[in-house]
Amino acid sequence: MPQLTTFVSAGRRILPNQWDLVAFAAILAVLTAVARSYHGILAPLPVPSESPITLDYWQLPYYAFRTTLRMFAALAASLVFTFTYATLAAKSRRAEMVLIPVLDVLQSVPILGFLSFTVTFFLGLFPGNTFGAELAAIFAIFTSQAWNMAFSFYQSLRTVPRDLDEVARGFRLTGWQKFWQLEAPFAMPGLIWNTMMSMSGGWFFVVASEAITEGDTTMALPGVGSYIAKANDEGNWSAIGAAVLTMGIVILLYDQLLFRPIVAWAAKFRVELSVSQDVESSWVLNLIKRTHWLRLGVTPIFAALRGVSLLPVRLPTIAPPRSSSSDEPSRLIDAIWILIVIAVAAWAAWLTITYIATELNWDEVLHVFVLTFYTLIRVVVLMALASVVWVPISVWIGLRPRWAEAVQPIAQFLAAFPVNLLFGAAVSLVLAFNLNPNIWLSLLIVFGTQWYIVFNTIGGAAAFPNDLREAVANFRIRGWRWWTQVIIPGVAPYYLTGAITASGGSWNASIVAEYVKWKDHTVVAQGVGSYIAEATDKGDFPRIVLGVAMMSLFVTLFNRLFWRRLYAIAERRLRL
């Protein structure tokens, strides 16, 4: 009998359990769907006159999976960009002088501008093949995801607690070890919430990214975005409703299967001395912990990755450490670097001015300056309203993991909702009630960008140390004093990251929101967004360049003079 018991026990350790079977079935289903989509990705390009999109409801699952594959491919590229670009900007003072202003401009440049310059390049790499068009669509989605994630990671690297930094120096960790053992884990909570926001941002622009235009021809890639665009053109509201329902189901699936387990797993990276009684949970993570074969399979992989992160690799010094006061950088090198940056900026400005001057005069430049100022007022007012409304709500949600778990998929769906589906209602209301489009169309600007503030503030509140919360409770700090002296300073770096990306996204969204077309009606609000949109419709490239250049100039100056100053105060005075 003891031998039988030993045999049964050994069998349980060797054989897979029922949870392994569930996990393997899910993995096999995903691999099968990827294999099916693979044939469509490498198919020849369809004839421009023949649209591959049908409004048949049964095609929606296939379209949804094709769109999701593009978004996860763009997300992988965004993560690589984030870990390189943001790290370089955070570690090097000289690189930061260039990389952060460039990032400010990139997030405000219209996504359609990226498409017009990259479609020809990607189609040329794979002539006659759908793969080139797929790469162009993935790149367009990448431009709607990467900037937000890069800003979040940069903010986290700049606000690592000083005591933990001293501990890392005390253990003589190399730059490589410090990055993977301290800085990257500290950045995880904020980066994960911003990754969720980036996925929703990808849905927000998926309609534009899946319609590839080259010259006078437009190719629609199979996907939910193309389905929505065709249903919108035909005024088929039942098909639009089916597409929105499909989008909601897909968001719920990847939230439960991917993001919820990652959020629960990353809770261990919080900087706190005591553990809260309310902890994040995930049924998928619990299922994985109960498996036998799956854990045995992934354990060597994680062990190898941990071994790599602990390698005593000494990275080349990019720039003198920021915290070093005795090792000041060479003023001569600083002066040369600044001169190079100024020279490159002056050269780019000269090329832009020369091109614009071929057809436009200074009166046009002054006109665009005034229009850009109108858009600036809209952005500032909308950011203030969104902050007043959403910061208290987001803090309340972030401090309650159970509520955050319930709200997470809903917020992702609302952030992903394509704003062009509201055009019909917006135009109808403006015309029916004779409303002022300069005021009421502005709401379309903030519809998609307000969620950057929501997700970042929730992430900041969720990362707020539990031991500080207990200390505040013991000292009975409540009410207005709690808001002004505890939680707002605690979430300020996260909020500012969200506000900066929301502000940049609002400039981008103004191109869509200030020039709204629905069937035979067009409603225009005064601003640089409508100026660029009208110039794009007419193919007037000098005016497009002038509008984008003026927008980029305003964004850069506003971020430098306002957001970055607030950010520096938060970094200097509000670090844990």
Side-chain angles (χ1 to χ4, degrees), residues 372-388 442 445-446 449 453 495 499 502-504 506-507 514 554-555 558-559 562-563:
T372 310
F373 188 75
Y374 290 159
T375 302
L376 173 64
I377 293 174
R378 285 194 185 94
V379 170
V380 171
V381 171
L382 291 171
M383 288 300 98
L385 290 176
S387 299
V388 170
S442 301
I445 293 178
V446 78
T449 57
I453 295 175
Y495 162 76
S503 175
S506 295
W507 286 94
E514 292 179 350
F554 266 68
V555 169
F558 187 69
N559 285 358
F562 181 70
W563 289 121

Side-chain angles (χ1 to χ4, degrees), residues 16 22 47-48 106 143 176 178 180 192 259 288 317 330 353 407 432 495 498 524 532 543 557 563:
V22 174
V47 179
L106 286 175
T143 61
W176 175 265
K178 179 183 174 184
W180 292 111
I192 290 169
F259 286 130
I288 294 173
T317 302
S330 169
I353 293 171
V407 169
Y495 162 76
V524 180
I532 295 173
R543 282 181 168 80
L557 290 177
W563 289 121

Side-chain angles (χ1 to χ4, degrees), residues 59-71:
Q59 291 294 325
L60 272 173
Y62 174 68
Y63 291 162
F65 196 82
R66 286 287 294 271
T67 296
T68 306
L69 279 182
R70 294 185 193 108
M71 294 179 67

Side-chain angles (χ1 to χ4, degrees), residues 258-318:
L258 179 65
F259 286 130
R260 174 48 44 190
I262 293 177
V263 168
W265 167 78
K268 63 183 180 181
F269 296 129
R270 287 178 184 165
V271 181
E272 56 188 10
L273 301 177
S274 62
V275 181
S276 173
Q277 294 181 352
D278 296 326
V279 295
E280 292 84 352
S281 61
S282 165
W283 63 270
V284 173
L285 188 61
N286 293 335
L287 186 149
I288 294 173
K289 290 178 179 179
R290 293 172 183 171
T291 61
H292 182 59
W293 275 19
L294 186 61
R295 286 192 298 111
L296 287 178
V298 299
T299 297
I301 298 175
F302 285 112
L305 292 175
R306 178 172 175 78
V308 171
S309 69
L310 291 173
L311 290 175
V313 178
R314 297 197 174 274
L315 300 176
T317 302
I318 301 174

Side-chain angles (χ1 to χ4, degrees), residues 322-468:
R322 291 178 179 272
S323 59
S324 176
S325 58
S326 61
D327 203 8
E328 292 291 335
S330 169
R331 293 185 178 181
L332 178 60
I333 296 177
D334 276 359
I336 294 174
W337 177 249
I338 292 173
L339 288 175
I340 292 174
V341 172
I342 293 174
V344 172
W347 175 71
W350 173 253
L351 289 179
T352 303
I353 293 171
T354 304
Y355 179 72
I356 294 173
T358 56
E359 296 188 19
L360 306 177
N361 53 32
W362 286 106
D363 291 337
E364 185 73 13
V365 174
L366 181 60
H367 173 62
V368 175
F369 179 88
V370 174
L371 292 178
T372 310
F373 188 75
Y374 290 159
T375 302
L376 173 64
I377 293 174
R378 285 194 185 94
V379 170
V380 171
V381 171
L382 291 171
M383 288 300 98
L385 290 176
S387 299
V388 170
V389 171
W390 285 113
V391 167
I393 297 174
S394 302
V395 166
W396 190 89
I397 294 172
L399 294 177
R400 293 161 177 81
R402 298 296 182 188
W403 274 92
E405 182 178 346
V407 169
Q408 184 175 309
I410 300 173
Q412 289 183 71
F413 175 77
L414 293 175
F417 194 85
V419 70
N420 61 319
L421 296 184
L422 300 176
F423 285 177
V427 171
S428 300
L429 289 174
V430 169
L431 295 178
F433 295 96
N434 196 24
L435 301 176
N436 187 345
N438 291 314
I439 297 175
W440 295 101
L441 288 185
S442 301
L443 299 178
L444 295 177
I445 293 178
V446 78
F447 184 82
T449 57
Q450 61 188 335
W451 305 107
Y452 290 106
I453 295 175
V454 173
F455 277 84
N456 277 278
T457 307
I458 290 177
F464 193 76
N466 186 65
D467 47 328
L468 292 185

